Amino acid sequence: MISVVIPLYNKAHTITRTLSTVLEQTFSEFEIVIINDGSTDKGTDVISNYTNDKRVRIIDQVNQGVSVARNQGVLHAKYEYIAFLDGDDEWLPTYLETMYAAITEFPNAGFICCAGKVRSGGRDYLRLADKYSDQIVEIDFFQNPHVFLHSSATVVTKTIFNTTSGFPVGMKQNEDYALFFLLGLLSTVVYCGYPLSIYVGDVQGQATTATFEEVMSDIIKRYNLVFKAYNSQSKSNKSFVIFMKYELRHTFLILINQNKYNLLQKFIDGLDQGIITQFSGLERYFFKNEYLKPLAKALIYSSKLRWRLRKYPRIKY
């Protein structure tokens, strides 16, 4: 009924625990498709111990990155519903049972998100949309995607996945945002307000420490890719533009506070012209002129206040 897709690259130190949390699920009608992305550690030896379970399949490929690995996992999946799980994250025992309840209640949904926990920096905290706690509901995804979304807490239909090109190949970061934001435009989105997934941070080998300069091209690619899809839909999702501008202003503010105006200009120049024209000419002038830094910051902070007054879902700690 559900295909669990796990990309594996040098996670011998975590994959046993990750797999155990899947095999301990109260919902048992699933398969596990592990895409070994050219691992050079003993991860393949570790997972070979699980192949006696007929639900577990291992597919080897030369190293091509997490996007190709996940796309291959979907390609080889037997079932319509695809649950993504990274090789160092975990699920609580009723995760799949709850996601299946959402599938049953909302059969037309193409994209289901679940709340979760974050284990990082020596502490645990919730990633839970406050207004949807203990509920399974259809949502306006772009009210606050970063509250709703985590790769290891998503289930998508193979049908809606195949309307896209999958996870963009060649991106080191933001490939998950690129795909899931596209799905947020293309499909009905459902949210499970139960913290049943666990993101495990501070793990050796995680690609989460890159600087903005190092991943800026991927961030630009994500914005342009999703905005192109938005345009192709006759600009029907108004929440998307509101969120996109909010998120971009946040990035602009960080760069302005760091006095990185050359980098800010390079970032803006890389964005689709249609994105840039969502901002007024006066606002764009403020962003680019370091002598108007106080005015630019005041404008951004006022826009943040307006966004919060919309009472969109926020993280419940």
Side-chain angles (χ1 to χ4, degrees):
M1 183 63 186
I2 298 176
S3 295
V4 180
V5 171
I6 303 177
L8 179 68
Y9 179 71
N10 290 352
K11 294 291 176 66
H13 51 304
T14 62
I15 190 61
T16 296
R17 181 58 192 157
T18 296
L19 276 174
S20 295
T21 68
V22 181
L23 295 171
E24 293 165 1
Q25 291 293 301
T26 55
F27 179 90
S28 60
E29 295 180 47
F30 61 81
E31 65 164 349
I32 302 174
V33 184
I34 301 171
I35 305 297
N36 173 37
D37 187 33
S39 294
T40 57
D41 64 359
K42 295 183 179 181
T44 52
D45 295 336
V46 172
I47 59 179
S48 66
N49 297 326
Y50 292 88
T51 53
N52 289 332
D53 190 321
K54 294 182 180 179
R55 295 174 297 179
V56 180
R57 287 190 287 142
I58 303 169
I59 297 168
D60 295 313
Q61 67 176 34
V62 297
N63 180 254
Q64 298 177 71
V66 67
S67 288
V68 174
R70 288 183 181 137
N71 293 341
Q72 284 296 309
V74 176
L75 180 65
H76 287 89
K78 295 178 180 178
Y79 300 122
E80 169 68 2
Y81 288 94
I82 312 294
F84 295 104
L85 178 62
D86 287 344
D88 47 17
D89 291 335
E90 302 171 11
W91 289 338
L92 296 183
T94 58
Y95 174 80
L96 286 179
E97 178 184 335
T98 304
M99 296 299 260
Y100 183 70
I103 291 168
T104 303
E105 185 174 352
F106 297 94
N108 294 325
F111 179 20
I112 303 168
C113 308
C114 188
K117 300 178 181 179
V118 176
R119 185 178 297 156
S120 183
R123 67 187 186 98
D124 290 5
Y125 60 91
L126 292 179
R127 181 188 50 77
L128 172 63
D130 50 7
K131 68 189 293 184
Y132 299 131
S133 180
D134 298 328
Q135 301 177 60
I136 298 178
V137 294
E138 183 177 332
I139 59 169
D140 181 347
F141 177 71
F142 288 104
Q143 284 189 350
N144 200 342
H146 295 303
V147 171
F148 300 131
L149 180 63
H150 183 257
S151 296
S152 294
T154 58
V155 170
V156 306
T157 66
K158 203 169 188 179
T159 298
I160 194 68
F161 182 92
N162 287 337
T163 64
T164 74
S165 298
F167 291 92
V169 176
M171 294 175 67
K172 294 181 179 179
Q173 287 196 10
N174 265 238
E175 82 291 333
D176 48 355
Y177 287 159
L179 174 69
F180 293 132
F181 282 24
L182 281 175
L183 297 184
L185 288 171
L186 296 171
S187 65
T188 298
V189 185
V190 167
Y191 181 72
C192 296
Y194 300 92
L196 298 173
S197 69
I198 303 175
Y199 166 76
V200 182
D202 307 319
V203 174
Q204 179 184 349
Q206 283 183 335
T208 56
T209 58
T211 65
F212 178 81
E213 289 91 333
E214 291 171 330
V215 300
M216 185 173 72
S217 62
D218 286 343
I219 295 172
I220 290 171
K221 184 175 180 179
R222 185 257 290 187
Y223 275 111
N224 291 346
L225 181 69
V226 179
F227 186 76
K228 181 179 179 180
Y230 165 76
N231 274 334
S232 70
Q233 289 190 306
S234 302
K235 305 178 181 179
S236 58
N237 192 316
K238 302 305 179 186
S239 295
F240 166 72
V241 174
I242 293 170
F243 171 75
M244 179 186 70
K245 292 171 69 176
Y246 173 85
E247 188 183 35
L248 279 170
R249 286 183 180 117
H250 181 74
T251 301
F252 296 162
L253 180 63
I254 292 172
L255 295 175
I256 287 170
N257 280 334
Q258 296 174 347
N259 291 316
K260 294 183 177 180
Y261 281 89
N262 288 337
L263 189 61
L264 173 58
Q265 185 61 56
K266 186 177 180 181
F267 180 60
I268 291 174
D269 288 345
L271 294 172
D272 187 289
Q273 187 60 31
I275 295 176
I276 300 304
T277 56
Q278 299 297 319
F279 300 91
S280 70
L282 183 62
E283 189 173 4
R284 300 199 300 269
Y285 181 69
F286 284 174
F287 293 155
K288 296 179 181 181
N289 195 325
E290 59 184 300
Y291 298 105
L292 298 175
K293 180 176 180 178
L295 291 175
K297 291 177 63 174
L299 189 153
I300 293 171
Y301 282 124
S302 67
S303 70
K304 282 179 170 285
L305 177 60
R306 292 196 306 273
W307 188 86
R308 290 188 178 184
L309 288 174
R310 294 175 181 272
K311 297 184 179 180
Y312 289 156
R314 299 179 65 187
I315 287 285
K316 179 179 181 180
Y317 292 98

